[in-house]
Amino acid sequence: MKALFTVLFLFIIQIFSAQEEDYEYANGVFHFEENKTQKIFTDWTRIRQSPNTNAQILDSLQTNQPIVILKKEETILKLGERRANWYKISYQKGDKTSEGYVWGGNLCVGYRNKNGYDFLFGLTKTVNKKDKQSPEITIQQNIAAIKVLEGNALIDEVSFETGSGESLSFGTFNIESNHKLQNVELTLKATVSGEACGIPSYDQYVLFKDKKLIVLPQLMNVGDADVYYHSEEFVFPNDKGGIPNAFIFKMEEMEKDDRDREKKKRASKTYLWDGNSYKLK
């Protein structure tokens, strides 16, 4: 009888666990509007007959393939720290228009076009990493990438970290000027952030020069109401306080003590830019 109760108890736990998985929210960066154009990020993304990893594979699409979002399905698939809905899509190959289902994690978080180049931003995988402050603890870390293509040809690709799934509530991807850095054609800025206090946001600047992507040190910002904040930013040559052929990293922290008094800490360092690469001064 005791064994029977144990089996029933485990069965009930499994049912509730399954329900929690069914109702798990997708990351906000993978929310795409219906009847809007999107692009494939993961090369050779599989298109399936239904929203399931066991469904028949109908086709495979290459990076930068335009698609149209027809409908967001309720089914959510979690791979590592990435959680995304399945989407019913349509796409065109030659004169033929086809439909199928794609996992949202394989689509671009953002994409831009300039000077004949397509720039794509997306999430690629989740890796296990030792915590810097507590090496005995293993944490899951999302890895993102930016790709640059000319037509269908991949010109360059760079990868960088984007924190845990909690930091994937929002995502933006923009093209900025060259910030008056010598020989730089343009600057890309990819950002992911969370929606709750204490969840970090990450800013990744990438320079584009001579068909190459150059990743700058990553910036992290986090705060908890008016009790604590940590902010990081770059001051480029075209910014107020900027200097030629360099960019300045600035950090500021504030924390309130038990008497509600603010304690601030500031730090800065300068990176020199020689027209091809940067180094710490």
Side-chain angles (χ1 to χ4, degrees):
M1 182 63 72
K2 184 177 180 181
L4 177 61
F5 279 120
T6 302
V7 171
L8 288 173
F9 177 71
L10 292 174
F11 178 70
I12 291 171
I13 289 177
Q14 287 179 341
I15 290 175
F16 279 107
S17 297
Q19 288 177 338
E20 289 174 358
E21 187 70 19
D22 289 341
Y23 289 97
E24 192 167 22
Y25 291 105
N27 301 125
V29 296
F30 299 128
H31 171 71
F32 306 109
E33 294 184 34
E34 295 179 358
N35 301 314
K36 297 286 187 179
T37 300
Q38 251 301 327
K39 284 195 171 186
I40 297 292
F41 184 77
T42 305
D43 207 16
W44 300 114
T45 287
R46 293 173 176 175
I47 307 303
R48 296 186 181 270
Q49 191 174 41
S50 60
N52 191 297
T53 54
N54 296 320
Q56 180 184 347
I57 299 172
L58 302 177
D59 203 350
S60 294
L61 300 181
Q62 290 180 272
T63 297
N64 208 29
Q65 166 76 45
I67 62 168
V68 176
I69 302 292
L70 299 179
K71 181 184 178 183
K72 181 175 76 171
E73 299 295 323
E74 294 301 318
T75 308
I76 294 173
L77 172 64
K78 180 181 179 182
L79 294 180
E81 284 284 285
R82 297 172 296 157
R83 302 189 305 272
N85 293 83
W86 286 83
Y87 290 88
K88 185 177 183 181
I89 65 166
S90 68
Y91 59 95
Q92 192 161 347
K93 278 188 174 181
D95 297 328
K96 183 181 178 182
T97 300
S98 302
E99 293 185 359
Y101 292 87
V102 66
W103 182 54
N106 287 329
L107 304 181
C108 291
V109 174
Y111 60 91
R112 293 287 184 266
N113 176 277
K114 190 166 185 177
N115 301 337
Y117 298 104
D118 287 312
F119 301 94
L120 313 180
F121 167 45
L123 278 291
T124 58
K125 59 185 177 181
T126 302
V127 298
N128 291 324
K129 184 179 178 182
K130 290 186 177 180
D131 186 82
K132 291 181 179 179
Q133 297 180 344
S134 304
E136 71 279 3
I137 299 176
T138 299
I139 58 175
Q140 288 195 306
Q141 176 78 54
N142 284 315
I143 304 297
I146 290 176
K147 302 177 182 182
V148 55
L149 295 95
E150 193 171 18
N152 291 323
L154 180 65
I155 302 300
D156 199 12
E157 178 178 356
V158 291
S159 298
F160 47 90
E161 298 178 353
T162 53
S164 67
E166 292 179 323
S167 294
L168 298 181
S169 296
F170 305 99
T172 59
F173 185 50
N174 294 300
I175 293 178
E176 299 183 356
S177 71
N178 66 356
H179 292 292
K180 291 188 177 180
L181 290 169
Q182 183 184 1
N183 298 333
V184 173
E185 186 172 340
L186 54 85
T187 306
L188 301 164
K189 183 183 179 183
T191 299
V192 294
S193 60
E195 58 183 348
C197 292
I199 304 300
S201 65
Y202 298 91
D203 294 327
Q204 183 62 64
Y205 283 92
V206 178
L207 307 180
F208 183 57
K209 172 192 174 295
D210 297 333
K211 296 188 176 183
K212 291 292 183 182
L213 297 169
I214 301 171
V215 179
L216 301 189
Q218 192 173 68
L219 304 177
M220 187 272 286
N221 293 273
V222 65
D224 188 0
D226 63 344
V227 177
Y228 167 83
Y229 70 78
H230 172 100
S231 66
E232 298 177 353
E233 66 174 350
F234 285 135
V235 179
F236 291 106
N238 63 332
D239 294 326
K240 183 179 180 180
I243 57 178
N245 303 317
F247 56 94
I248 304 167
F249 167 85
K250 287 191 173 184
M251 182 278 292
E252 180 175 295
E253 278 186 353
M254 186 282 292
E255 186 174 8
K256 288 186 177 180
D257 61 18
D258 295 337
R259 297 183 179 181
D260 210 30
R261 295 176 301 186
E262 291 187 359
K263 291 185 177 181
K264 289 188 177 182
K265 181 170 66 175
R266 296 182 178 89
S268 67
K269 50 188 174 183
T270 300
Y271 293 90
L272 302 178
W273 173 258
D274 65 4
N276 292 296
S277 61
Y278 66 88
K279 65 178 181 179
L280 188 61
K281 182 177 179 181

